[in-house]
């Protein structure tokens, strides 16, 4: 099977990956919408929508505690200075933080190794977005191919196909793919991509988002707090009533003009010449049930 066949097979997986990751990304950024959560909010009450960002805490707090001390090779108790130098050369002290954040957000993350024509003794190691990656794993649990797709500044679609002995850099011309640059014949004997999985499971190569357990709770809290705000707006003030008063009683004595609705409500007449007039109010609603639910 040719390289382009492999590319097309991997490329067909990309739309679903991006849809799933867009959903998770919205929760991480706190941009999930109430209509997605399942609560129908009328347009006039849209100002009361709220998103609670528990998912970001589930990702950021564990990642913040990860600290790499040093490198050791298997079978040795000495610090490997060569690996440490490659780590620092590729700015991985900061880039690795992005990789682990991606891994916890989306369930997996990717790092790519390539040859370095400027400094052959140092590999180029980059962290790439999992939203752009699709991979194939064989029954022996080895990665046989990986594909990274992206759109360039000229709005043309590009792809990097990673294979065991070479990496191809391609550009889409209509419906066909063509090499944009010469392939990187690295001869590594394995795909130069490392996939990091969060909560790995046997035979599953997508990982699990660290946010998976808190998303349902976050949706519930968002519903409750949105309802709290709507309830506070509609019911927290005691509703007043007056009987036996005339429209003329709501005229501002200084200006001679009708009172504004809010002014009339806050300064509703307590006296009137009408002996049959009555005033009263209903108790304000208690919103403590919402507070108890969020605390629980």
């Amino acid at each position: 099977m040719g390289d382009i066949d492999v590319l097309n097979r991997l490329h067909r997986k990309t739309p679903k990956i991006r849809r799933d990751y867009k959903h998770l990304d919205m929760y991480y950024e706190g941009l999930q919408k109430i209509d997605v959560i399942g609560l129908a909010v009328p347009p006039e009450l849209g100002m009361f929508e709220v998103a609670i960002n528990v998912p970001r805490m589930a990702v950021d707090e564990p990642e913040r505690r990860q600290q790499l001390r040093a490198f050791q090779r298997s079978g040795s108790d000495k610090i490997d200075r060569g690996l440490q130098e490659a780590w620092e050369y590729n700015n991985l002290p900061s880039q690795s933080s992005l990789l682990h954040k991606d891994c916890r957000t989306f369930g997996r993350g990717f790092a790519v190794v390539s040859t370095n024509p400027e400094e052959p003794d140092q590999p180029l190691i980059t962290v790439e977005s999992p939203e752009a990656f699709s991979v194939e794993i064989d029954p022996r649990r080895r990665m046989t191919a990986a594909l990274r797709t992206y759109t360039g500044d000229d709005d043309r679609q590009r792809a990097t196909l990673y294979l065991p002995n070479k990496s191809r850099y391609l550009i889409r011309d209509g419906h066909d793919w063509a090499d944009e640059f010469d392939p990187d014949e690295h001869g590594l004997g394995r795909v130069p991509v490392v996939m990091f999985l969060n909560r790995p499971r046997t035979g599953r190569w997508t990982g699990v988002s660290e946010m998976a357990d808190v998303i349902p709770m976050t949706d519930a809290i968002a519903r409750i707090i949105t309802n709290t705000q709507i309830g506070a707006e509609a019911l927290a003030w005691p509703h007043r009533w007056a009987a036996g008063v005339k429209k003329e009683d709501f005229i501002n004595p200084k200006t001679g003009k009708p009172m504004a609705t809010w002014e009339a409500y806050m300064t509703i007449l307590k006296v009137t010449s009408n002996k049959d007039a009555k005033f009263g109010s209903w108790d304000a609603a208690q919103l403590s049930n919402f507070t108890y639910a969020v605390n629980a």
Side-chain angles (χ1 to χ4, degrees), residues 104-124:
R104 291 180 180 275
T105 301
F106 301 114
R108 63 181 185 178
F110 292 91
V112 176
V113 182
S114 57
T115 56
N116 186 353
E118 296 182 0
E119 293 189 46
D121 292 338
Q122 289 289 355
L124 289 178

Side-chain angles (χ1 to χ4, degrees), residues 126-181:
T126 57
V127 171
E128 306 292 347
S129 170
E131 297 174 272
F133 259 88
S134 54
V135 299
E136 282 191 346
I137 310 294
D138 69 11
R140 291 175 290 179
R141 303 181 184 179
R142 296 188 306 186
M143 189 182 297
T144 57
L147 179 70
R148 171 179 174 253
T149 55
Y150 61 99
T151 301
D153 294 336
D154 56 0
D155 293 329
R156 298 183 68 185
Q157 195 171 27
R158 289 171 167 81
T160 306
L161 180 63
Y162 302 96
L163 299 168
N165 289 302
K166 64 182 176 182
S167 298
R168 293 183 62 179
Y169 307 96
L170 303 109
I171 187 168
R172 197 164 196 173
D173 187 8
H175 295 290
D176 299 322
W177 293 94
D179 288 293
E180 185 174 17
F181 307 108

Side-chain angles (χ1 to χ4, degrees), residues 5-133:
D5 292 328
V6 176
L7 185 153
N8 288 329
R9 188 168 62 248
L10 288 170
H11 191 251
R12 285 193 290 269
K13 298 181 180 181
T14 305
K16 182 181 185 305
I17 292 171
R18 287 183 171 160
R19 283 196 303 271
D20 293 344
Y21 287 176
K22 182 179 180 180
H23 175 76
L24 292 170
D25 184 63
M26 288 180 67
Y27 274 92
Y28 177 79
E29 295 293 343
L31 299 175
Q32 70 273 25
K33 297 296 183 182
I34 298 298
D35 55 353
V36 175
I37 292 172
L39 176 65
V41 179
E44 60 270 19
L45 298 179
M47 68 182 75
F48 298 112
E49 292 184 20
V50 64
I52 308 300
N53 210 330
V54 177
R56 183 181 294 176
M57 290 190 293
V59 170
D60 285 1
E61 291 308 314
E63 187 279 323
R64 190 175 288 123
R65 295 181 177 92
Q66 290 183 264
Q67 294 184 356
L68 180 70
R69 299 299 184 185
F71 288 94
Q72 290 177 305
R73 291 186 185 271
S74 178
S76 173
D77 58 357
K78 296 181 179 180
I79 303 301
D80 192 303
R81 302 300 178 187
L83 291 177
Q84 185 74 34
E85 184 179 346
W87 176 264
E88 294 172 356
Y89 174 85
N90 286 281
N91 193 31
L92 291 177
S94 61
Q95 293 297 304
S96 64
S97 175
L98 300 178
L99 185 148
H100 292 302
K101 192 170 293 186
D102 281 346
C103 190
R104 291 180 180 275
T105 301
F106 301 114
R108 63 181 185 178
F110 292 91
V112 176
V113 182
S114 57
T115 56
N116 186 353
E118 296 182 0
E119 293 189 46
D121 292 338
Q122 289 289 355
L124 289 178
I125 306 172
T126 57
V127 171
E128 306 292 347
S129 170
E131 297 174 272
F133 259 88

Side-chain angles (χ1 to χ4, degrees), residues 23-24 27-28 32 37 54-55 105 209-221 223:
H23 175 76
L24 292 170
Y27 274 92
Y28 177 79
Q32 70 273 25
I37 292 172
V54 177
T105 301
S209 172
E210 200 68 22
M211 304 185 299
D213 292 340
V214 299
I215 282 178
M217 178 181 69
T218 301
D219 290 350
I221 293 174
R223 289 191 193 96

Side-chain angles (χ1 to χ4, degrees), residues 259-280:
M259 292 182 178
T261 302
W262 182 249
E263 182 184 1
Y265 176 79
M266 295 300 293
T267 60
I268 191 169
L269 300 174
K270 304 299 190 298
V271 295
T272 179
S273 59
N274 189 335
K275 61 182 178 61
D276 295 322
K278 296 180 180 179
F279 299 91

